[in-house]
């Protein structure tokens, strides 16, 4: 039986939902795994709801849809409300608890709370709450090796924007150590 | 070559450039604007031209001009913009010009919506333009195929001197998957001795034209074109199958829907229903023979589409109505979950008395 992980990342447009999904997808591809990344599209860039579905599998992937995620990353209240009930039994939820003032009532899923956006603004890492959550996800799930993921994450950043390397590195570390 | 993670729309653009396309004419429309965006960045670097035309109609006629000169040219749009191009497409056909036209479908009719759709199936396969004509219609189902079928589209267009439609949908256009651009081997191509290129008076001049005042002349050109169509039907049918060998119910689906059916078939199999899938890769020519052969062993077909049911008529024709052909679809931009399709397969299995 193929090992497949269905991930759903949801929040407002501008929170780096699509970027976080792409980082996971790219790492999976570099590990030789099959992967699909499917975004919601439309008016998201103007602050509407944004989400993306990422499927990582050691076998060919049919449908790229993720109606029932194994892992949900909820970065705002509407996303938490909408998708928390659909997480697979035995699945995991990662919540930006600085944005979502709620706890999961479900006993059959494992919920992890990290005040990512507060940590980001405290550390001067505006816009990197998504990476903080990814760091935390790496530690909890062990989905990918931390060092490999970090190298992959910063590999696409051009030398002229080296401050981003520093910011992403710091953000991933904060989440990992939280 | 290493795989890269790319959106389907970007893969089309890169594959077109790899195929030697030097002219891209477009006009932005969701969900395919990434093609224009990518072309605008890359074309100047490879010595090509990316031009945002004043309208879709202008863009398709620019394709006609560029193709007349013997260069590879492409345009892309989404459903409403595709309708605007239809006159130019018929002129391309009437002028025997190669061209690649990409339709990343969204919901219709009218301005419709911006979410994925397959409701332009009839338009693409039956009547994209006026007159006696066909177009080769390719339906990619993965980002890899967005790339490889774009390359194939350019080759087919040149070989048969016909426009080729890449009929994609908003989901495949927007999604990212790993893609390998070296995966396809280009085909052997004929000389473009018909092109209106400068030749320094070395030969008689070529004329590109679609107007014939003498009916016998027009009839002859149409008949000659239909000889080519028969050859395309005989040699260029492409399809893929999944678990059809012992299947009682065979899903027929293309594009994003084929992937949903792939998962649905696995789900139905887990419940003891012998389901399978045939995925037409060429929508014209349609895989009639393959479906007709499956009708020897299958008990029923299920056409699954993001429309109110269009390809379903071709499935009925393909199997000569020898088996029941059912339909399941969502429209307006709604994508069904694999579980929805699996439920339909279960219901069919019950009706057919296939469940123990």
């Amino acid at each position: 039986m193929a090992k497949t992980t269905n991930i759903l990342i949801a929040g407002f447009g501008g929170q780096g939902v699509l970027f976080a999904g792409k980082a996971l997808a790219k790492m999976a591809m570099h590990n030789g795994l099959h992967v699909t990344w499917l975004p919601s599209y439309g008016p998201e860039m103007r602050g509407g709801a944004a989400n993306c579905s990422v499927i990582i599998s050691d076998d060919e992937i049919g449908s790229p849809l993720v109606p029932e995620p194994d892992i949900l990353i909820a970065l705002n209240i509407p996303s938490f409300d909408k998708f928390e009930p659909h997480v697979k039994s035995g699945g995991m939820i990662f919540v930006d608890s600085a944005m979502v003032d709620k706890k999961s009532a479900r006993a059959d899923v494992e919920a992890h709370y990290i005040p990512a956006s507060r940590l980001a603004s405290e550390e001067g890492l505006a816009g990197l709450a998504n990476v903080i959550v990814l760091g935390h996800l790496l530690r909890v799930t062990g989905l990918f090796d931390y060092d490999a993921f970090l190298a992959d994450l910063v590999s696409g950043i051009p030398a002229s924007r080296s401050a981003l390397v520093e910011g992403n590195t710091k953000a991933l570390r904060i989440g990992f150590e939280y | 070559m290493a795989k890269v993670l790319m959106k389907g729309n970007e893969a089309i653009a890169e594959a077109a450039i790899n195929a030697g396309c030097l002219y891209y004419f477009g006009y932005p429309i969701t969900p395919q604007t990434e093609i224009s965006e990518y072309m605008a960045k890359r074309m100047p670097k490879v010595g090509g031209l990316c031009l945002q035309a004043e309208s879709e109609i202008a863009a398709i006629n620019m394709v006609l001009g560029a193709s007349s000169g013997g260069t590879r040219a492409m345009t892309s749009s989404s459903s409403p913009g595709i309708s605007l191009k239809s006159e130019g497409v018929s002129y391309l056909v009437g002028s025997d010009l190669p061209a690649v036209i990409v339709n990343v479908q969204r919901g219709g009719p009218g301005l419709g919506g911006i979410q994925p759709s397959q409701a332009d199936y009839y338009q693409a396969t039956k009547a994209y333009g006026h007159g006696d004509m066909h177009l080769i219609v390719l339906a990619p189902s993965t980002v890899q195929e967005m790339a490889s079928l774009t390359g194939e589209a350019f080759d087919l267009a040149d070989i048969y001197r016909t426009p080729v439609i890449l009929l994609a949908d908003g989901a495949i256009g927007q999604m990212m998957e790993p893609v390998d651009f070296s995966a396809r081997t280009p085909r052997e191509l004929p000389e473009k001795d018909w092109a209106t290129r400068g030749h320094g008076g070395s030969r008689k001049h070529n004329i590109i034209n679609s107007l014939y005042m003498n009916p016998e002349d027009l009839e002859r050109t149409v008949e000659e074109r239909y000889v080519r169509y028969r050859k395309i039907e005989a040699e260029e049918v492409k399809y893929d199958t999944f678990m059809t060998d012992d299947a009682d119910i065979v899903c027929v689906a293309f594009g994003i829907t084929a992937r949903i059916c792939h998962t649905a078939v696995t789900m139905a199999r887990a419940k003891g229903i012998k389901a399978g899938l045939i995925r037409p890769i060429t929508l014209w020519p349609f895989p009639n023979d393959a479906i007709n052969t499956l009708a020897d062993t299958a008990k029923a077909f299920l056409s699954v589409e993001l429309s109110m049911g269009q390809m379903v008529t071709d499935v009925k024709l393909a199997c000569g109505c020898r088996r029941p052909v059912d339909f399941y679809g969502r429209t307006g931009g709604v994508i069904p979950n694999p579980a929805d399709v699996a439920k339909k397969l279960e219901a069919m299995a019950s009706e057919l008395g296939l469940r123990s």
Side-chain angles (χ1 to χ4, degrees), chain A residues 18 22 25-26 29-30 33-44 60-67, chain B residues 3-5 7 30-31 114-116 170-171 174-179 256 259-260 262-263 335-338:
Chain A
L18 304 185
K22 193 177 171 183
K26 231 171 77 180
M29 178 181 75
H30 290 152
L33 296 164
H34 294 268
V35 62
T36 59
W37 175 97
L38 179 73
S40 60
Y41 64 88
E44 291 80 10
E60 210 179 312
I61 300 164
S63 166
L65 307 173
V66 177
Chain B
K3 287 188 174 184
V4 285
L5 190 68
K7 278 193 169 190
T30 304
I114 59 169
Q115 298 302 323
Q174 290 296 322
M175 69 186 273
M176 286 201 278
E177 281 183 303
V179 52
I256 184 67
R259 302 181 62 141
I260 290 158
H262 192 281
T263 303
I335 304 184
N337 281 319

Side-chain angles (χ1 to χ4, degrees), chain A residues 67-100:
Chain A
E68 293 174 345
D70 300 299
I71 298 172
L72 168 68
I73 299 177
L75 299 181
N76 67 6
I77 291 172
S79 305
F80 179 85
D81 289 344
K82 187 172 176 189
F83 298 116
E84 185 257 3
H86 300 292
V87 176
K88 252 184 223 160
S89 190
M92 281 185 191
I93 307 176
F94 292 85
V95 180
D96 182 344
S97 55
M99 294 293 293
V100 182

